[in-house]
């Protein structure tokens, strides 16, 4: 079973930056669509950014121009978050989806103070 481990979360002031990383236990990102999702307290989980096998990216309107998803290799994907806002506070999850499987990481907490 492939495992995903997120890292890079933490506490940052509004306007600051964080870089989240998602490491896979196997080389899956070359064949998977990888997404970063987030879930704020009391809210539903939402898609933040996605990168396809071909490298195409898409972003939620709320993070366009501030967040960038990238894939280093088949085992590492990142989410660069700039100009953070208090409303970006959430647990961020990495997701990898192939034609036969869908895998979630355990999440990493991002807290943006005003």
């Amino acid at each position: 079973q492939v495992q995903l481990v997120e890292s890079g979360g933490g506490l940052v002031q509004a306007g600051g930056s964080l870089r989240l990383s998602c490491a896979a236990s196997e080389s899956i990102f070359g064949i998977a669509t990888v997404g970063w999702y987030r879930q704020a307290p009391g809210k539903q989980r939402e898609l933040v950014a996605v990168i396809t096998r071909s490298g195409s990216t898409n972003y939620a309107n709320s993070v366009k121009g501030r967040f960038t998803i990238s894939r280093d290799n088949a085992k590492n994907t990142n989410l660069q978050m700039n100009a953070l806002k208090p409303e970006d506070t959430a647990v961020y999850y990495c997701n990898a989806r192939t034609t036969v499987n869908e895998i979630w990481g355990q999440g990493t907490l991002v807290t943006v103070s005003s």
Side-chain angles (χ1 to χ4, degrees):
Q1 177 73 15
V2 178
Q3 293 183 329
L4 304 179
V5 179
E6 301 96 334
S7 61
L11 174 64
V12 64
Q13 288 188 333
S17 298
L18 282 174
R19 184 177 179 86
L20 304 183
S21 295
C22 178
S25 58
E26 298 178 20
S27 298
I28 189 175
F29 291 154
I31 61 170
T33 293
V34 182
W36 282 93
Y37 291 73
R38 68 186 181 188
Q39 187 166 19
K43 295 188 177 181
Q44 290 188 332
R45 191 172 297 188
E46 63 176 353
L47 179 63
V48 174
V50 63
I51 184 166
T52 67
R53 291 173 51 186
S54 64
S56 298
T57 59
N58 202 9
Y59 299 90
N61 287 334
S62 59
V63 306
K64 278 182 181 176
R66 300 188 297 123
F67 290 12
T68 303
I69 188 170
S70 62
R71 185 173 56 226
D72 288 344
N73 51 50
K75 297 181 70 174
N76 290 281
T77 298
N78 304 301
L79 183 68
Q80 178 67 42
M81 306 187 296
N82 298 327
L84 283 162
K85 305 175 180 179
E87 51 263 43
D88 294 319
T89 295
V91 178
Y92 284 71
Y93 298 90
C94 179
N95 170 275
R97 181 163 41 89
T98 69
T99 56
V100 297
N101 203 2
E102 183 174 26
I103 305 158
W104 290 92
Q106 83 289 347
T108 186
L109 176 63
V110 172
T111 303
V112 184
S113 63
S114 57

